[in-house]
Amino acid sequence: MTRRSNALAGTVLGAAMVATGLIAGAFYIFACAVMPALARSDDRVFVEVMRDINDVIQNPVFLLGFLGALVLTGVSAWQLRGEPYRWWVWAAVAAYGLAFLVTVAFNIPLNNGLADTGAPAALREEFEDPWVAWNVVRAVLSTVAVGCLGRALVGYGRAGRRSASLSPSGGV
């Protein structure tokens, strides 16, 4: 890997970790604060607030992080395919890819179901427990991905220090 492509690979790896960390944090805060707080509210308030959240979260900034985490991690895995720490990046792709699939297969359809008309109590009954459970799954998976990307960054840094300490003849 040339110095320029190595620097680009490091930048992409770092950006993947930041984007994945932001999304993991969003899922975490829902698990630790938003949903427990909403659990204290009555059915009408719960449904209204979740509908509002579902509306406002569909914005370019969130989508950039949500999709960007997957794309950047995938690009990083491809860029670092020959490096010894590449398996950490591939593990991150797998973990975040699963979190992404959980969101698309479970959380988004539940959000869409909450948008239907009906009695707030019935809507909440169908939504709350499964959505909370799947959110915890995606929070754990995306946090695992962040940890794997962090480990890959450590490997990247060590590899950079090793190559910088080598003389032109290949000796130390």
Side-chain angles (χ1 to χ4, degrees):
M1 192 179 285
T2 67
R3 181 174 288 196
R4 173 178 259 163
S5 64
N6 192 30
L8 179 60
T11 300
V12 172
L13 178 58
M17 185 171 172
V18 168
T20 306
L22 289 169
I23 297 304
F27 296 158
Y28 173 79
I29 201 68
F30 267 90
C32 292
V34 174
M35 298 312 288
L38 281 175
R40 296 178 175 188
S41 62
D42 66 42
D43 297 335
R44 184 191 56 75
V45 169
F46 179 93
V47 170
E48 283 181 20
V49 170
M50 281 307 301
R51 284 175 174 166
D52 288 343
I53 290 170
N54 291 336
D55 285 341
V56 300
I57 204 160
Q58 295 179 47
N59 67 71
V61 175
F62 179 79
L63 291 175
L64 182 63
F66 181 65
L67 297 172
L70 185 61
V71 170
L72 288 166
T73 304
V75 169
S76 182
W78 178 79
Q79 288 177 321
L80 300 171
R81 63 193 176 279
E83 299 297 329
Y85 49 88
R86 70 187 175 277
W87 301 112
W88 290 106
V89 185
W90 283 108
V93 168
Y96 188 76
L98 286 172
F100 188 91
L101 287 174
V102 164
T103 301
V104 171
F106 300 106
N107 292 92
I108 291 174
L110 287 164
N111 290 346
N112 293 341
L114 196 62
D116 293 342
T117 58
L123 291 170
R124 182 178 186 172
E125 178 69 28
E126 292 292 316
F127 176 86
E128 187 174 16
D129 289 342
W131 194 95
V132 168
W134 286 116
N135 183 65
V136 169
V137 169
R138 66 189 185 161
V140 169
L141 286 168
S142 57
T143 301
V144 167
V146 171
C148 291
L149 290 168
R151 182 59 183 86
L153 275 170
V154 169
Y156 171 83
R158 286 181 180 158
R161 284 193 303 277
R162 271 194 300 273
S163 66
S165 68
L166 294 177
S167 70
S169 63
V172 179

